[in-house]
Amino acid sequence: TQLLEQSPQFLSIQEGENLTVYCNSSSVFSSLQWYRQEPGEGPVLLVTVVTGGEVKKLKRLTFQFGDARKDSSLHITAAQPGDTGLYLCAGGYGGSQGNLIFGKGTKLSVKP
Amino acid sequence: NAGVTQTPKFRILKIGQSMTLQCAQDMNHNYMYWYRQDPGMGLKLIYYSVGAGITDKGEVPNGYNVSRSTTEDFPLRLELAAPSQTSVYFCASSYDGTDTQYFGPGTRLTVL
């Protein structure tokens, strides 16, 4: 059962363009994390959002957690070739287990 | 700190062979996790541990076993390798189950 739907699955854009990646679920999460993964490496945490409606910025990346804590978005302004990679969202239910539910990812390619 | 380390980086097994994937962390994290990542499928949780001596099944535990005799180490054992276990395996750790996980570089396993 896929609890976290990411869209789009693939995205190929030119350098300088803006883009938004979406992460949607019917479940309520205590937190939502975004990871970036480069080929041959493990995912690296970009941000964690925990409050409904929360917005966090990381340079040209803006992350938002939905008011109902069921969805999240990642917006990249003026994309650079260095932004190329697989972006994964992961929802956490909190509690003692700490388990995360991962989306399938959005593969982003930014061409110079 | 080395963070989360995994060995080997690559391995080819024949059907029916067994092997152990090693994972170690030096961050004094209590929680450790094993995931597998198949193309286009995101990360699936195999097993996790909330502390030394305590392990539990994740979403896809069949064909795998784990142990956690120390805080630092969390090996994953494949007893009778099958082609369906061809995947990239990631180990991760977190301090207290608050969902922020740190990943190792992965082990790419092929079963022929």
Side-chain angles (χ1 to χ4, degrees), chain B residues 10-96:
Chain B
F10 302 95
R11 183 73 187 267
I12 298 175
L13 284 180
K14 294 182 179 178
I15 294 172
Q17 287 186 320
S18 60
M19 77 163 292
T20 299
L21 283 66
Q22 301 291 344
C23 174
Q25 52 89 12
D26 61 359
M27 298 175 283
N28 201 31
H29 284 173
N30 294 312
Y31 290 66
M32 296 188 75
Y33 312 83
W34 273 106
Y35 293 91
R36 59 177 288 172
Q37 185 177 35
D38 300 316
M41 295 301 293
L43 285 91
K44 301 286 187 183
L45 182 66
I46 304 171
Y47 270 95
Y48 67 98
S49 169
V50 301
I54 306 170
T55 62
D56 209 344
K57 296 177 180 179
E59 184 181 356
V60 290
N62 291 344
Y64 308 95
N65 277 301
V66 292
S67 59
R68 184 96 183 270
S69 57
T70 67
T71 299
E72 294 79 17
D73 301 296
F74 191 39
L76 177 72
R77 179 85 179 161
L78 283 71
E79 290 294 349
L80 290 170
S84 61
Q85 293 177 305
T86 293
S87 189
V88 182
Y89 291 84
F90 288 101
C91 179
S93 72
S94 63
Y95 178 67
D96 59 3

Side-chain angles (χ1 to χ4, degrees), chain A residues 31 33 37 42 45 96-98, chain B residues 31 33 37 90 99-101:
Chain A
S31 67
Q33 301 181 22
Q37 184 179 18
L45 181 69
S96 61
Q97 295 179 351
Chain B
Y31 290 66
Y33 312 83
Q37 185 177 35
F90 288 101
D99 305 335
T100 303
Q101 297 183 15

Side-chain angles (χ1 to χ4, degrees), chain A:
Chain A
T1 302
Q2 180 63 34
L3 297 179
L4 266 177
E5 297 285 344
Q6 277 190 249
S7 60
Q9 191 175 355
F10 300 97
L11 191 54
S12 181
I13 61 172
Q14 293 295 129
E15 181 177 0
E17 291 183 8
N18 301 332
L19 67 113
T20 302
V21 175
Y22 299 94
C23 180
N24 295 295
S25 175
S26 57
S27 298
V28 176
F29 293 107
S30 64
S31 67
L32 201 296
Q33 301 181 22
W34 285 92
Y35 291 82
R36 180 166 164 263
Q37 184 179 18
E38 298 194 28
E41 299 182 8
V44 176
L45 181 69
L46 295 173
V47 77
T48 300
V49 285
V50 297
T51 305
E54 182 177 5
V55 176
K56 282 193 175 179
K57 292 192 175 184
L58 187 65
K59 295 183 182 178
R60 293 175 293 100
L61 279 61
T62 301
F63 305 85
Q64 184 162 8
F65 202 11
D67 290 341
R69 303 206 317 274
K70 294 182 179 181
D71 55 85
S72 181
S73 63
L74 157 60
H75 183 79
I76 302 179
T77 303
Q80 306 292 313
D83 295 326
T84 294
L86 179 68
Y87 289 82
L88 295 159
C89 67
Y93 293 109
S96 61
Q97 295 179 351
N99 293 352
L100 292 175
I101 304 297
F102 279 85
K104 293 183 178 181
T106 294
K107 195 166 186 178
L108 172 65
S109 174
V110 182
K111 302 183 189 310

